[in-house]
Amino acid sequence: MTNKAAKQQAMRNTTILRRFHLISLVINVLYIFSRFLLFQSSSSRVTYLAYFLLSSPAIAVEFWLEKIARPTYGLNGELQKAGEDLEAKGLTEYMCDVLYWTWGTVFLATVFGDKAWWMWAVVPLYSIWLGYSTFGSVRQGMAGLTGQGFDRSDASYSGTSNRQKKIEKRGQKVQYR
Protein backbone atom coordinates (compact mmCIF):
# COMPACT_ATOMS: atom_id res chain seq x y z
CA MET A 1 0.00 0.00 0.00
CA THR A 2 1.54 3.29 -1.07
CA ASN A 3 1.78 6.24 1.30
CA LYS A 4 0.42 4.24 4.23
CA ALA A 5 2.23 6.44 6.76
CA ALA A 6 0.96 9.61 5.09
CA LYS A 7 -2.61 8.29 5.10
CA GLN A 8 -2.35 7.38 8.78
CA GLN A 9 -0.98 10.83 9.60
CA ALA A 10 -3.79 12.45 7.61
CA MET A 11 -6.35 10.44 9.58
CA ARG A 12 -4.71 11.34 12.91
CA ASN A 13 -4.54 15.02 11.96
CA THR A 14 -8.19 15.04 10.89
CA THR A 15 -9.23 13.39 14.16
CA ILE A 16 -7.18 15.77 16.29
CA LEU A 17 -8.42 18.85 14.41
CA ARG A 18 -12.02 17.69 14.74
CA ARG A 19 -11.49 17.19 18.48
CA PHE A 20 -9.90 20.66 18.81
CA HIS A 21 -12.82 22.31 17.02
CA LEU A 22 -15.41 20.43 19.05
CA ILE A 23 -13.79 21.26 22.41
CA SER A 24 -13.38 24.90 21.40
CA LEU A 25 -17.00 25.12 20.29
CA VAL A 26 -18.35 23.56 23.49
CA ILE A 27 -16.22 25.69 25.83
CA ASN A 28 -16.89 28.97 24.03
CA VAL A 29 -20.64 28.34 23.66
CA LEU A 30 -20.77 27.39 27.34
CA TYR A 31 -19.05 30.66 28.31
CA ILE A 32 -21.21 32.81 26.05
CA PHE A 33 -24.38 31.06 27.22
CA SER A 34 -23.49 31.48 30.88
CA ARG A 35 -22.45 35.12 30.54
CA PHE A 36 -25.25 36.33 28.29
CA LEU A 37 -28.10 34.37 29.86
CA LEU A 38 -27.29 33.15 33.36
CA PHE A 39 -24.91 35.75 34.80
CA GLN A 40 -25.97 38.76 32.77
CA SER A 41 -26.22 41.01 35.83
CA SER A 42 -22.56 40.42 36.79
CA SER A 43 -21.28 40.85 33.23
CA SER A 44 -19.76 44.10 32.05
CA ARG A 45 -17.76 45.46 29.14
CA VAL A 46 -14.58 44.38 30.93
CA THR A 47 -15.91 40.82 31.05
CA TYR A 48 -16.55 40.72 27.32
CA LEU A 49 -13.30 42.51 26.51
CA ALA A 50 -11.32 40.05 28.63
CA TYR A 51 -13.08 37.15 26.92
CA PHE A 52 -12.38 38.37 23.39
CA LEU A 53 -8.84 39.49 24.17
CA LEU A 54 -7.76 36.37 26.07
CA SER A 55 -9.56 33.89 23.81
CA SER A 56 -8.03 35.29 20.64
CA PRO A 57 -4.69 33.41 21.05
CA ALA A 58 -6.55 30.10 21.15
CA ILE A 59 -8.54 31.04 18.07
CA ALA A 60 -5.37 32.13 16.25
CA VAL A 61 -3.55 28.92 17.22
CA GLU A 62 -6.52 26.83 16.16
CA PHE A 63 -6.65 28.50 12.74
CA TRP A 64 -2.89 28.11 12.35
CA LEU A 65 -3.00 24.41 13.22
CA GLU A 66 -5.91 24.02 10.81
CA LYS A 67 -3.87 25.65 8.06
CA ILE A 68 -0.70 23.60 8.53
CA ALA A 69 -2.15 20.23 9.51
CA ARG A 70 -5.34 19.77 7.47
CA PRO A 71 -4.75 17.09 4.82
CA THR A 72 -5.37 18.10 1.21
CA TYR A 73 -6.90 15.80 -1.35
CA GLY A 74 -6.92 15.97 -5.13
CA LEU A 75 -9.96 16.05 -7.37
CA ASN A 76 -9.94 12.27 -7.63
CA GLY A 77 -9.87 11.90 -3.82
CA GLU A 78 -6.21 10.93 -3.65
CA LEU A 79 -4.16 12.29 -0.76
CA GLN A 80 -1.85 15.05 -1.95
CA LYS A 81 -0.47 16.32 1.36
CA ALA A 82 -0.93 14.79 4.81
CA GLY A 83 -0.19 18.03 6.65
CA GLU A 84 2.21 18.68 9.50
CA ASP A 85 2.23 16.21 12.38
CA LEU A 86 0.15 17.57 15.27
CA GLU A 87 1.86 15.20 17.70
CA ALA A 88 5.31 16.62 16.95
CA LYS A 89 7.52 18.05 19.67
CA GLY A 90 8.61 21.65 19.72
CA LEU A 91 6.54 24.58 18.50
CA THR A 92 3.47 22.49 17.69
CA GLU A 93 3.50 21.06 21.19
CA TYR A 94 3.85 24.56 22.67
CA MET A 95 0.92 25.84 20.57
CA CYS A 96 -1.21 22.94 21.77
CA ASP A 97 -0.25 23.83 25.35
CA VAL A 98 -1.44 27.41 24.77
CA LEU A 99 -4.67 26.05 23.32
CA TYR A 100 -5.30 23.74 26.29
CA TRP A 101 -4.44 26.45 28.83
CA THR A 102 -6.76 28.94 27.14
CA TRP A 103 -9.61 26.45 27.15
CA GLY A 104 -9.02 25.75 30.81
CA THR A 105 -8.96 29.47 31.61
CA VAL A 106 -12.19 30.09 29.68
CA PHE A 107 -13.82 27.20 31.50
CA LEU A 108 -12.65 28.48 34.89
CA ALA A 109 -13.90 31.97 33.97
CA THR A 110 -17.25 30.39 33.13
CA VAL A 111 -17.45 28.68 36.50
CA PHE A 112 -15.72 31.13 38.86
CA GLY A 113 -16.06 34.50 37.13
CA ASP A 114 -13.69 37.21 35.95
CA LYS A 115 -10.96 36.55 38.51
CA ALA A 116 -10.08 33.33 36.68
CA TRP A 117 -8.71 35.35 33.76
CA TRP A 118 -5.60 35.94 35.86
CA MET A 119 -4.72 32.29 35.20
CA TRP A 120 -3.73 33.42 31.72
CA ALA A 121 -0.72 35.19 33.24
CA VAL A 122 0.93 31.79 33.60
CA VAL A 123 1.41 31.46 29.81
CA PRO A 124 4.00 34.26 29.48
CA LEU A 125 5.75 33.01 32.62
CA TYR A 126 5.83 29.49 31.13
CA SER A 127 7.23 30.94 27.89
CA ILE A 128 9.99 32.73 29.75
CA TRP A 129 10.87 29.60 31.74
CA LEU A 130 10.82 27.44 28.59
CA GLY A 131 13.10 29.87 26.74
CA TYR A 132 15.49 30.13 29.68
CA SER A 133 15.72 26.37 30.16
CA THR A 134 16.19 25.79 26.43
CA PHE A 135 18.87 28.46 26.19
CA GLY A 136 20.58 27.15 29.31
CA SER A 137 20.76 23.59 28.02
CA VAL A 138 22.00 24.75 24.61
CA ARG A 139 24.62 26.94 26.28
CA GLN A 140 25.76 24.05 28.48
CA GLY A 141 25.93 21.72 25.47
CA MET A 142 27.95 24.23 23.49
CA ALA A 143 30.34 24.67 26.42
CA GLY A 144 31.02 20.94 26.30
CA LEU A 145 31.81 21.12 22.59
CA THR A 146 34.31 23.93 23.06
CA GLY A 147 36.06 22.18 25.94
CA GLN A 148 34.62 24.42 28.62
CA GLY A 149 32.18 21.86 29.97
CA PHE A 150 34.58 20.49 32.60
CA ASP A 151 37.16 21.96 34.91
CA ARG A 152 40.77 21.29 33.84
CA SER A 153 42.17 22.52 37.13
CA ASP A 154 40.77 19.39 38.75
CA ALA A 155 43.50 17.09 40.13
CA SER A 156 42.08 14.02 38.40
CA TYR A 157 42.38 15.59 34.96
CA SER A 158 45.71 14.85 33.31
CA GLY A 159 44.97 15.07 29.58
CA THR A 160 45.75 11.42 28.89
CA SER A 161 43.39 8.51 28.64
CA ASN A 162 43.39 5.56 31.00
CA ARG A 163 44.79 3.35 28.25
CA GLN A 164 47.72 5.69 27.74
CA LYS A 165 48.40 5.76 31.49
CA LYS A 166 48.48 1.94 31.64
CA ILE A 167 50.87 1.69 28.70
CA GLU A 168 53.18 4.31 30.19
CA LYS A 169 53.09 2.49 33.54
CA ARG A 170 54.27 -0.73 31.87
CA GLY A 171 57.13 1.19 30.30
CA GLN A 172 56.03 0.69 26.74
CA LYS A 173 56.27 3.42 24.19
CA VAL A 174 52.94 5.11 23.43
CA GLN A 175 52.11 5.19 19.74
CA TYR A 176 49.91 8.00 18.54
CA ARG A 177 48.01 7.65 15.32
Side-chain angles (χ1 to χ4, degrees):
M1 179 182 237
T2 58
N3 295 332
K4 182 178 179 182
K7 289 178 183 177
Q8 287 177 345
Q9 181 176 338
M11 283 181 18
R12 278 194 316 266
N13 284 354
T14 303
T15 303
I16 292 170
L17 287 172
R18 188 178 300 128
R19 185 176 60 227
F20 282 170
H21 296 323
L22 183 64
I23 292 170
S24 181
L25 178 71
V26 167
I27 288 177
N28 287 306
V29 165
L30 184 65
Y31 180 83
I32 291 170
F33 175 76
S34 70
R35 286 293 153 193
F36 283 117
L37 297 178
L38 298 177
F39 302 116
Q40 187 175 10
S41 62
S42 67
S43 298
S44 66
R45 282 188 155 186
V46 175
T47 302
Y48 301 128
L49 182 65
Y51 170 70
F52 288 118
L53 184 68
L54 297 176
S55 292
S56 59
I59 294 168
V61 165
E62 199 170 340
F63 279 126
W64 176 254
L65 292 176
E66 175 72 30
K67 181 180 178 184
I68 66 169
R70 179 65 67 181
T72 55
Y73 296 94
L75 295 174
N76 58 356
E78 186 176 321
L79 180 66
Q80 289 181 340
K81 183 180 157 198
E84 297 293 324
D85 187 13
L86 287 175
E87 296 171 344
K89 301 288 184 204
L91 186 61
T92 306
E93 183 180 35
Y94 175 71
M95 289 196 294
C96 289
D97 289 345
V98 169
L99 198 61
Y100 298 143
W101 192 258
T102 305
W103 290 340
T105 305
V106 171
F107 181 75
L108 290 174
T110 302
V111 175
F112 297 113
D114 289 340
K115 299 227 189 264
W117 290 116
W118 285 103
M119 294 281 296
W120 229 100
V122 173
V123 173
L125 295 175
Y126 174 69
S127 300
I128 291 168
W129 174 80
L130 192 62
Y132 177 75
S133 65
T134 301
F135 177 72
S137 63
V138 168
R139 185 173 41 129
Q140 187 178 16
M142 294 303 283
L145 290 175
T146 60
Q148 299 171 358
F150 54 91
D151 187 14
R152 290 191 173 153
S153 64
D154 189 13
S156 64
Y157 177 74
S158 65
T160 58
S161 69
N162 288 339
R163 182 175 181 268
Q164 289 173 337
K165 288 178 191 175
K166 287 179 183 177
I167 291 174
E168 288 174 357
K169 189 176 182 181
R170 283 190 231 143
Q172 298 174 352
K173 185 177 178 183
V174 179
Q175 294 179 352
Y176 296 100
R177 294 180 189 179

